[in-house]
Amino acid sequence: MPHTTASPFRVPEVADLHDAALTAALQSAIDGKTKPLGSLGRIEWLAQRIGAVLGTATPELREPQMLVCAADHGLAARGVSAYPSEVTHQMVRNFVAGGAAVSVLARQHGIALTVVDCGVREAVPEQPGLLSRRLGPGTQDALDGPAMSAEQCEQALAHGADVVRGLPGNALLLGEMGIGNTSAASLLLARLGGLEVGDVTGAGTGLDADAVLRKIGVLRAVLQRHAQAREPLAALAAFGGFEIATLAGAALQAAAERRVILVDGFIASSAVLVASKLRPHLLQRCVFAHRSGERGHALMLAHLRAEPLLDLGLRLGEGSGAALAWPLLQSACALLNQMASFASAGVSQSAIDAAPTARAEPELTAADASRKPAR
């Protein structure tokens, strides 16, 4: 039986984090460390971001949670993936058994891993580390009709929020699994980002060039089939999938609770795209782990005005890139809290300050992005 949530989903409020006094305190603390101004580059931006999210100039990351949401997609039957849908079920079992890349990396870095079956075609029994929040055996074929109903979409969002409410800690890492979900992400970016679908569609799990062209043709037909689905939740329901909608609900709840949100690759970013269209200030809580090798991800990040921490050519998904980036967040906090200041170390700041050093250029905030539309 599908898991249900009693109350309907209400998009939580996500306030503007802008706090001039805290920003100044964080910058002063960073600039006062025993180093030339700006010499730690984007790690300094990262320390600022984490401090702003957690509301303190001495931020500490506690009990990080990796949330991997999995589901199948009806559109996969159209040949948009190099792998069959059975792989989703097999990989969920692999996650729970501890053999997947994200399982290894989460274990290495002390990140708690929770896997959610949001609608895998073949259900996996609930067990430690695996929650069942199923809305059916995968979404419908989006070329025949909406991937999910408006009610299913709302329920998936509610499931994501409910799961986050039950997790400890102040940092949430987003991952996913679902054969066919790069197609859903490409459709969401094309529609909500106003981009040509051919520009944002890539090989996914490993399609060859001819198969990618066929995939683009299918996605163009899906966009035409749902030409009226232009609002964020209408597009999400039209294109799917259950795991993307669950992650969007999780991101919204994490943002409302002022957790740091570490976003993995293309599909996880598509969930954040939807969530940010509903609550733009959510982006102030986000750190984007990496720029994936999937074709549309660079355009997704550009639309979100986000600069990722890593660029390693990853395209595995699962949350693997987020897990790899996690130590950078830990380092940013450790440097902010433990690195000596000029005063405490008895080092002369005047000589170092005399040499000009450029600070790393900060990312635009969600408020900045809302004032200046993406080109």
Side-chain angles (χ1 to χ4, degrees):
M1 292 291 291
H3 185 283
T4 59
T5 300
S7 58
F9 180 72
R10 293 181 177 84
V11 180
E13 293 301 320
V14 178
D16 186 353
L17 289 184
H18 180 68
D19 181 336
L22 177 58
T23 298
L26 282 160
Q27 194 63 60
S28 177
I30 292 166
D31 290 347
K33 301 300 182 183
T34 48
K35 61 174 182 60
L37 286 175
S39 58
L40 283 172
R42 296 198 68 246
I43 298 299
E44 299 188 15
W45 168 85
L46 186 55
Q48 270 272 13
R49 172 58 55 101
I50 296 169
V53 176
L54 300 183
T56 175
T58 55
E60 295 183 5
L61 295 165
R62 299 181 291 97
E63 298 182 87
Q65 303 293 316
M66 172 70 75
L67 182 64
V68 177
C69 293
D72 276 306
H73 294 250
L75 195 64
R78 303 280 179 175
V80 296
S81 173
Y83 287 82
S85 291
E86 289 80 5
V87 172
T88 307
H89 169 85
Q90 293 162 2
M91 284 304 300
V92 168
R93 297 181 70 92
N94 194 24
F95 295 149
V96 178
V102 71
S103 310
V104 172
L105 293 168
R107 193 161 57 242
Q108 177 189 6
H109 297 305
I111 304 167
L113 173 61
T114 299
V115 182
V116 183
D117 177 356
C118 306
V120 178
R121 189 167 72 177
E122 182 183 349
V124 182
E126 188 164 306
Q127 55 194 282
L130 175 65
L131 301 177
S132 178
R133 298 293 185 271
R134 294 175 57 78
L135 290 163
T139 54
Q140 300 300 306
D141 184 343
L143 197 51
D144 290 337
M148 53 183 152
S149 68
E151 292 76 18
Q152 286 176 316
C153 184
E154 180 177 298
Q155 193 67 68
L157 290 161
H159 282 168
D162 182 61
V163 168
V164 169
R165 280 191 290 265
L167 295 176
N170 60 8
L172 182 71
L173 293 75
L174 302 181
E176 46 62 42
M177 175 63 208
I179 296 300
N181 64 9
T182 59
S183 292
S186 294
L187 289 164
L188 287 166
L189 177 56
R191 178 55 50 81
L192 298 179
L195 301 173
E196 163 56 39
V197 72
D199 294 336
V200 300
T201 302
T205 49
L207 295 172
D208 62 25
D210 289 340
V212 171
L213 290 176
R214 289 193 296 272
K215 177 180 176 180
I216 291 170
V218 170
L219 300 191
R220 283 201 178 110
V222 172
L223 287 167
Q224 185 175 9
R225 173 74 170 76
H226 301 285
Q228 303 307 312
R230 299 201 168 270
E231 296 301 314
L233 295 186
L236 180 58
F239 307 134
F242 290 145
E243 82 281 30
I244 294 174
T246 303
L247 284 174
L252 286 163
Q253 183 63 33
E257 295 179 11
R258 289 185 70 154
R259 301 192 194 210
V260 176
I261 303 170
L262 184 55
V263 187
D264 189 41
F266 185 44
I267 294 93
S269 296
S270 74
V272 169
L273 171 68
V274 173
S276 69
K277 295 296 182 182
L278 298 170
R279 292 290 185 262
H281 292 310
L282 174 142
L283 293 174
Q284 295 174 332
R285 281 82 165 163
C286 292
V287 175
F288 289 82
H290 70 110
R291 180 181 290 106
S292 84
E294 182 62 24
R295 183 177 181 183
H297 196 213
L299 292 170
M300 177 84 77
L301 293 168
H303 181 77
L304 294 170
R305 296 180 175 272
E307 182 64 31
L309 297 178
L310 304 173
D311 193 346
L312 301 174
L314 305 172
R315 55 183 185 87
L316 175 60
E318 303 179 2
S320 53
L324 285 166
W326 172 251
L328 295 176
L329 278 70
Q330 293 179 301
S331 294
C333 290
L335 289 166
L336 187 58
N337 292 326
Q338 299 173 32
M339 188 175 176
S341 67
F342 286 102
S344 67
V347 175
S348 172
Q349 186 172 7
S350 57
I352 294 178
D353 286 350
T357 305
R359 290 197 182 116
E361 185 174 339
E363 289 181 274
L364 292 174
T365 65
D368 292 330
S370 67
R371 289 193 291 270
K372 184 178 180 183
R375 294 175 181 170

